[in-house]
Amino acid sequence: MTRLLPLIALILLGACAFIAPIQPPSTFYVMRHLNTPAGAPDPDLTDEGRRNAQALAEWFGDNPPAAIFVSNAKRAQQTAAPLAARLGIEPRIYDPSNTRLLIAEVMKEPPPVLIVGHSNTVPEIVEALSGRRPDALTHDDFGDIWVIAGDRRGFVRRRLNE
């Protein structure tokens, strides 16, 4: 019998390798910064953009982000500032040229997570999180929020002012 114990232990350990840990569903919100004038290198939000940032602070309802990531641009930080203040969260600044590092950091956070990016980074971020790439954004595409939830297969594109 004592010779069988190591064999039984080995079989049980092998069986444990086939049991995957249960992952809680994750929700990610990805958006482009809010309204800015065209052509300036790092502009502040316009008056409309500031009003929309205030609206963003209320948009999430009962499922607000537990973590907020913003790029190093003023307009991204200004977009999230009212929401972060309301929630008492310090936004984490990321380098918009390194999506891979951003996604690695986002995955360490408890959901839900909000990421504020730019017209040239949002499609790549959404694709990295959902497996589907949204259409390219133009300068006037402000106020869209991509919601990636559950099994992270695809996204729902919502409007801030819905």
Side-chain angles (χ1 to χ4, degrees):
M1 180 68 168
T2 55
R3 295 174 80 182
L4 288 176
L5 286 178
L7 180 60
I8 292 170
L10 187 60
I11 291 170
L12 289 174
L13 283 173
C16 290
F18 293 105
I19 301 172
I22 298 173
Q23 296 289 335
S26 298
T27 300
F28 304 97
Y29 302 104
V30 182
M31 67 180 298
R32 179 188 181 199
H33 62 79
L34 292 168
N35 312 67
T36 57
D42 190 13
D44 290 310
L45 295 180
T46 62
D47 290 342
E48 182 180 9
R50 285 190 290 281
R51 282 191 302 276
N52 285 333
Q54 291 297 327
L56 179 66
E58 304 301 323
W59 187 84
F60 294 95
D62 293 338
N63 198 25
I68 300 172
F69 286 79
V70 295
S71 80
N72 53 10
K74 287 188 304 188
R75 57 199 181 273
Q77 294 171 35
Q78 291 170 359
T79 293
L83 174 64
R86 183 179 148 259
L87 298 174
I89 295 175
E90 183 69 33
R92 295 193 40 200
I93 297 176
Y94 70 90
D95 176 358
S97 69
N98 193 340
T99 300
R100 181 174 289 168
L101 178 60
L102 167 64
I103 299 302
E105 291 301 310
V106 164
M107 293 304 196
K108 295 176 187 175
E109 297 297 324
V113 176
L114 169 64
I115 304 168
V116 181
H118 302 272
S119 62
N120 63 333
T121 63
V122 164
E124 183 177 2
I125 295 167
V126 170
E127 182 177 32
L129 291 170
S130 74
R132 238 178 82 212
R133 189 176 189 92
D135 294 335
L137 302 177
T138 67
H139 174 75
D140 293 327
D141 287 327
F142 298 111
D144 290 329
I145 301 170
W146 287 261
V147 181
I148 300 115
D151 61 9
R152 296 180 28 212
R153 293 183 185 163
F155 55 82
V156 175
R157 187 174 182 173
R158 305 235 353 246
R159 297 283 306 163
L160 177 59
N161 296 321
E162 288 183 330

